[in-house]
């Protein structure tokens, strides 16, 4: 290593350009071999740093998303049921709804793959946006805790901040007045930011779950009318994902 090489390494460390530092030996070898000119050498090193930073940022967003599973649309078996709207779901994978600040509602019976699709869309979105996944019941419990310890404002701000908030298992049961009010505040504060909602009930069946019809009408009409509704029907997707027992007979 020359004195100049050592000085360059120290400079890169001081500037926290670890992406350049990690590939410096390989790039110097290319430069010494005549593969890279002066400007090419600098450009490639800069791109190495950009790539490293993008990777670190993506991993950070992925961790903060708190997905239950790392799944993709490619992994989903659209042939499991002819009733699945495969074209509509794949079209949602283009993320035009995200760029328009729109939402997605996935509804249908248990086990058809709603959570898989929600997380797969979230995984696509997290490439360049902040995403948060959570069970709706846990979010309501978290906000209820905020009322108890006076941290409600802080907690709801954390839920408003992500570009995409995934509410899994929405409208599972009757809501209390406090829960309905919290949902109203959450959806209202997130106007212009996307939601992905999964539910076993059709949106038209959500209204009776709210104790106050006025709150239900105001919240749900606003939410439903700005969302892409995807009806997922067919047999349960889960048996196809179950590990096969070696003693099972092949059908």
């Amino acid at each position: 290593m020359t004195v100049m090489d050592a000085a360059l390494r120290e400079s890169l460390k001081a500037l926290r350009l670890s992406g350049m530092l990690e590939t410096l030996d390989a790039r110097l070898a290319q430069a010494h071999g005549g593969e890279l000119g002066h400007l090419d050498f600098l450009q490639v090193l800069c791109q190495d740093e950009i790539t490293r930073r993008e990777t670190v940022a993506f991993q950070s967003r992925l961790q903060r998303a708190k997905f239950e599973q790392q799944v993709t649309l490619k992994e989903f078996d659209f042939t499991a049921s002819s009733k699945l709207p495969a074209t509509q779901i794949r079209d949602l994978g283009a993320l035009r709804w995200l760029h328009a600040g729109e939402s997605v509602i996935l509804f249908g019976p248990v086990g058809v793959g709603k959570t898989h699709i929600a997380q797969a869309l979230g995984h696509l979105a997290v490439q360049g946006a902040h995403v948060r996944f959570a069970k709706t019941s846990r979010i309501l419990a978290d906000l209820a805790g905020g009322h108890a310890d006076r941290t409600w404002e802080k907690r709801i701000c954390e839920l408003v901040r992500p570009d995409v908030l995934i509410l899994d298992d929405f409208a599972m049961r009757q809501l209390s007045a406090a829960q309905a009010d919290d949902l109203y505040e959450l959806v209202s504060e997130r106007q212009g930011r996307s939601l992905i909602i999964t539910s076993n009930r059709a949106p038209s069946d959500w209204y009776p779950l709210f104790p106050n019809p006025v709150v239900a009408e105001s919240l749900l009409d606003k939410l439903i009318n700005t969302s892409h509704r995807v009806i997922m029907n067919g047999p349960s997707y889960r048996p196809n994902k179950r590990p096969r027992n070696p003693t099972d007979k092949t059908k």
Side-chain angles (χ1 to χ4, degrees):
M1 181 188 302
T2 67
V3 174
M4 186 172 292
D5 287 347
L8 177 57
R9 292 175 192 278
E10 289 304 316
S11 296
L12 293 177
K13 286 181 181 179
L15 292 171
R16 299 183 180 179
L17 298 173
S18 57
M20 292 185 177
L21 192 59
E22 290 170 3
T23 60
L24 181 60
D25 287 337
R27 301 312 183 195
L28 283 172
Q30 288 179 297
H32 291 322
E35 297 178 41
L36 297 174
H38 295 91
L39 290 177
D40 293 330
F41 174 74
L42 181 59
Q43 174 60 41
V44 172
L45 271 183
C46 288
Q47 187 57 53
D48 291 338
E49 179 62 30
I50 292 170
T51 299
R52 183 197 68 84
R53 294 189 182 194
E54 288 177 345
T55 300
V56 170
F58 169 72
Q59 291 299 331
S60 176
R61 290 194 301 272
L62 193 61
Q63 185 175 12
R64 283 184 287 173
K66 299 182 179 180
F67 294 125
E68 287 185 338
Q69 294 176 302
Q70 299 297 329
V71 293
T72 66
L73 286 181
K74 290 182 179 179
E75 296 170 346
F76 190 77
D77 183 10
F78 287 101
T79 65
S81 172
S82 59
K83 297 181 180 179
L84 288 171
T87 300
Q88 184 185 13
I89 292 172
R90 289 193 176 102
D91 187 60
L92 290 173
L95 303 183
R96 285 185 289 270
W97 52 273
L98 171 59
H99 304 310
E102 298 165 345
S103 296
V104 176
I105 297 174
L106 306 162
F107 63 97
V110 174
V112 293
K114 300 183 298 294
T115 300
H116 181 126
I117 295 300
Q119 291 186 103
L121 291 174
H123 196 275
L124 287 171
V126 86
Q127 304 290 331
H130 293 286
V131 179
R132 171 76 185 280
F133 171 92
K135 296 292 184 185
T136 304
S137 59
R138 292 180 184 174
I139 282 182
L140 292 174
D142 185 62
L143 290 175
H147 288 296
D149 64 9
R150 298 182 180 179
T151 61
W152 186 87
E153 290 286 348
K154 178 182 177 181
R155 298 188 189 204
I156 200 166
C157 282
E158 291 175 353
L159 295 170
V160 171
R161 190 174 298 118
D163 301 299
V164 180
L165 177 63
I166 303 175
L167 298 177
D168 196 34
D169 291 337
F170 188 84
M172 287 284 286
R173 57 182 65 86
Q174 190 80 26
L175 297 168
S176 68
Q179 289 175 327
D181 288 344
D182 282 344
L183 275 177
Y184 177 84
E185 292 296 332
L186 177 59
V187 172
S188 296
E189 288 294 321
R190 285 193 57 84
Q191 281 298 301
R193 291 177 179 266
S194 299
L195 291 166
I196 299 178
I197 291 174
T198 73
S199 180
N200 296 337
R201 303 173 189 261
S204 57
D205 296 331
W206 295 351
Y207 292 85
L209 302 179
F210 288 76
N212 186 330
V214 175
V215 172
E217 193 76 22
S218 179
L219 187 159
L220 297 179
D221 279 0
K222 185 184 305 182
L223 174 61
I224 294 169
N225 290 330
T226 59
S227 297
H228 298 266
R229 282 168 281 180
V230 182
I231 304 173
M232 296 185 63
N233 213 334
S236 177
Y237 181 70
R238 289 173 185 166
N240 298 330
K241 302 289 286 184
R242 189 180 300 148
R244 182 176 293 276
N245 191 315
T247 60
D248 289 346
K249 294 182 179 179
T250 302
K251 294 184 180 180

